[in-house]
Amino acid sequence: MSTLHRPFLFSAMDKYVGLIINLATTAVVARLLTPDEIGVFVVGGAIVVLAETLRDFGTSAYIVQQRVLDRDAVRTAFTAMAILSLAIAGTLALLAGPIADFYADQRLVPVVRIAAMGVLLGSFAAPPVALLRRELAFGQLAIINTAGLLANLVASVVFIKLGAGYLSLAFASFAAALTVTLGAVLYHPKFWIFRPSFGHWREVFSFGGFSSATAVLNNFYQVLPQALLGRLAGFESAGLYSRAMTLCQLPDRAIVGAFQPVIFPAFAAEVRAGGDLKGAYLHALALLTAVQWPVLICMALLAEPIVAILLGSQWGTAAPVLRILAIAYMAMTPAPLTYPTLVALGKVKDTTTSSLITLPIGVAAILVAAPFGLMAVALSMLASWPLQVAVSMLFVQHRVGFGWRELLGALWKSVPVCISTGLVPAAVVIHAGFTADLPLTALVVACAGAGIGWLLGLRATHHPLHGELRQAIGLLRSRFTKKRLAAASSH
């Protein structure tokens, strides 16, 4: 795992830049479109997410985790993905009308059909991206992802200003997919990838069956709240839930997401080298909890000003939803490690089995809650998310072989770090109340106090993340010094 730091730095830079761009996109679009207009895209996008999951068919993970990978295997993976993409895109185009009739809103027709074209593009981007991930080439991936996010931001604003309304988001999503595809092919111009082949079809379909089943089940569970709220409570409720969930997942996508793209290739490389994943898994879990728990606590405490600043006053109803989701999402911290760990160990079937045990219960909870509205759906996550993670960790514990005392040993230091982070924001909220009109001075004090409390907590507990941060700073300082010396010698 000694090769992890450099890829992690590139991945972290990618995610931090992505956070800024995503925040800008979210803030701009939320002020230019209504919750109803965004809700139309959210519901249409929820349907397409499932289609894109089927499209991938686990082939990206198959390419990354293979011990020995030859050209024919990559070509077979692309062929399977391309065939599925054509079938899925055609099906979406045909079903756009019936889907719109189900929701009694014909605005969904063009949204679904535009998204179907993006599904086709994805089959050309995924294999080169998977090869870059396998090679831990996260510098190139950072450039590709950033270009896609910028294309989405620019296209969103341009099409909204041109009067496209809710369709602006669909056009922007397609522009982002096109940009990522071009970037992936540019940075990994191996055109032999796109020559059809069925040489490894049994292997690809065996792996892809379990992998895609797991992905479909989990994505179905993620998009179900928006889909049901759109049908039972209207597109505005779907839009409000979606934006609250987007804010809730910002730490996961921007901070935890910096770990996740590196973890799977690194774990797979560790297994190929005959290493033991127990120490790596527990260490990664300690790092994740030390980051995500404190951020989510602060998000729950400061939900109203966060929503007001990032989304605007018309989204105030989303703040209580964000508070509940942030608290519930703390239980999901180990989730990013489950799939890469089990797949790296060659136990992809366990991911499907775990999902089949937990997700039906979560789906049932959402089905019961949805008729009662937005808050009821959010409250259902307080039960379903912890259950989902508990079962998946049982599977990981069985395969990796750690003891529960070892797990607690990896996690306990993150608890005081979380508490020390939330002390100042909690004091500010107790004094001012849960209000969107929090004075700027109070908000600055809350944020600065949270940051100082986090750093003090890491140092006081001698948390593993404290050592990782010092090592990362040292690496950056060393690289800067080398560049400065090289520049001086050239003169």
Side-chain angles (χ1 to χ4, degrees):
M1 303 298 290
S2 60
T3 60
L4 186 61
H5 292 93
R6 181 182 174 87
F8 168 71
L9 284 175
F10 281 121
S11 182
M13 289 170 61
D14 175 18
K15 295 303 176 181
Y16 296 149
V17 172
L19 170 62
I20 296 171
I21 299 172
N22 274 325
L23 284 174
T25 304
T26 300
V28 170
V29 170
R31 286 164 171 79
L32 296 177
L33 296 178
T34 66
D36 175 71
E37 288 176 309
I38 292 177
V40 175
F41 174 74
V42 164
V43 172
I47 297 165
V48 175
V49 163
L50 296 178
E52 289 183 338
T53 305
L54 283 171
R55 185 274 321 276
D56 185 77
F57 199 64
T59 50
S60 296
Y62 167 80
I63 291 172
V64 174
Q65 63 86 45
Q66 282 294 292
R67 292 178 182 269
V68 179
L69 191 66
D70 59 33
R71 288 190 173 193
D72 200 44
V74 178
R75 289 167 52 203
T76 304
F78 165 73
T79 304
M81 192 183 303
I83 292 172
L84 285 171
S85 297
L86 284 170
I88 292 168
T91 302
L92 282 174
L94 291 173
L95 292 180
I99 291 170
D101 291 339
F102 176 77
Y103 283 94
D105 197 317
Q106 293 303 305
R107 291 179 296 175
L108 282 172
V109 174
V111 170
V112 173
R113 287 179 175 166
I114 293 169
M117 294 188 290
V119 172
L120 284 174
L121 278 176
S123 62
F124 291 91
V129 167
L131 288 171
L132 288 170
R133 288 181 61 203
R134 180 182 174 89
E135 298 162 7
L136 300 179
F138 288 94
Q140 291 92 327
L141 286 172
I143 295 173
I144 294 170
N145 292 332
T146 301
L149 291 172
L150 287 173
N152 183 68
L153 170 59
V154 172
S156 296
V157 174
V158 169
F159 282 110
I160 290 173
K161 291 298 183 181
L162 290 174
Y166 68 94
L167 278 178
S168 303
L169 300 181
F171 288 134
S173 180
F174 179 80
L178 179 61
T179 302
V180 169
T181 300
L182 293 174
V185 174
L186 175 66
Y187 275 102
H188 212 292
K190 311 295 185 184
F191 294 102
W192 53 261
I193 295 172
F194 308 119
R195 289 173 54 197
S197 174
F198 295 93
H200 290 254
W201 72 270
R202 291 181 185 274
E203 192 176 336
V204 170
F205 276 83
S206 175
F207 181 92
F210 287 112
S211 181
S212 62
T214 302
V216 168
L217 287 170
N218 282 280
N219 282 324
F220 174 75
Y221 177 68
Q222 290 179 16
V223 303
L224 184 62
Q226 295 97 300
L228 283 178
L229 285 170
R231 180 68 175 83
L232 299 174
F235 288 135
E236 181 173 349
S237 291
L240 288 166
Y241 182 92
S242 171
R243 296 303 94 169
M245 194 66 202
T246 297
L247 295 181
C248 178
Q249 290 180 330
L250 279 177
D252 186 59
R253 292 176 178 175
I255 303 173
V256 180
F259 291 76
Q260 193 173 15
V262 180
I263 286 172
F264 182 27
F267 278 15
E270 187 80 357
V271 171
R272 288 196 296 268
D276 180 16
L277 282 189
K278 180 172 74 171
Y281 176 85
L282 293 176
H283 182 68
L285 188 57
L287 301 183
L288 292 179
T289 53
V291 176
Q292 191 160 2
W293 285 356
V295 174
L296 288 172
I297 281 293
C298 292
M299 188 169 285
L301 290 169
L302 302 172
E304 280 80 6
I306 288 174
V307 168
I309 291 170
L310 295 180
L311 302 182
S313 58
Q314 65 175 330
W315 295 86
T317 313
V321 180
L322 172 60
R323 176 170 295 109
I324 295 170
L325 292 178
I327 294 171
Y329 208 74
M330 292 179 69
M332 293 292 285
T333 302
L337 298 176
T338 301
Y339 183 84
T341 302
L342 292 174
V343 175
L345 290 168
K347 304 299 179 183
V348 65
K349 187 177 180 179
D350 283 359
T351 64
T352 305
T353 305
S354 173
S355 297
L356 287 172
I357 293 172
T358 59
L359 296 188
I361 299 173
V363 170
I366 294 172
L367 288 171
V368 171
F372 297 97
L374 191 57
M375 290 296 291
V377 171
L379 287 168
S380 72
M381 302 304 170
L382 290 169
S384 57
W385 283 346
L387 173 64
Q388 180 180 340
V389 170
V391 173
S392 65
M393 288 197 70
L394 285 173
F395 281 87
V396 173
Q397 189 272 339
H398 175 67
R399 298 300 184 185
V400 175
F402 60 81
W404 296 114
R405 184 171 295 180
E406 291 176 299
L407 177 64
L408 291 175
L411 295 180
W412 79 265
K413 290 183 178 180
S414 297
V415 176
V417 171
C418 183
I419 293 172
S420 65
T421 304
L423 285 176
V424 174
V428 169
V429 168
I430 290 172
H431 180 264
F434 293 104
T435 174
D437 298 324
L438 194 67
L440 179 60
T441 303
L443 185 60
V444 170
V445 168
C447 294
I452 294 171
W454 182 66
L455 291 173
L456 290 175
L458 291 176
R459 184 171 182 177
T461 59
H462 301 287
H463 198 283
L465 181 58
H466 186 253
E468 293 287 343
L469 289 174
R470 293 185 64 179
Q471 187 170 354
I473 292 171
L475 179 61
L476 287 173
R477 186 179 298 167
S478 174
R479 288 176 60 84
F480 176 76
T481 302
K482 288 180 180 178
K483 287 183 178 180
R484 188 174 60 182
L485 290 174
S489 63
S490 65
H491 292 294

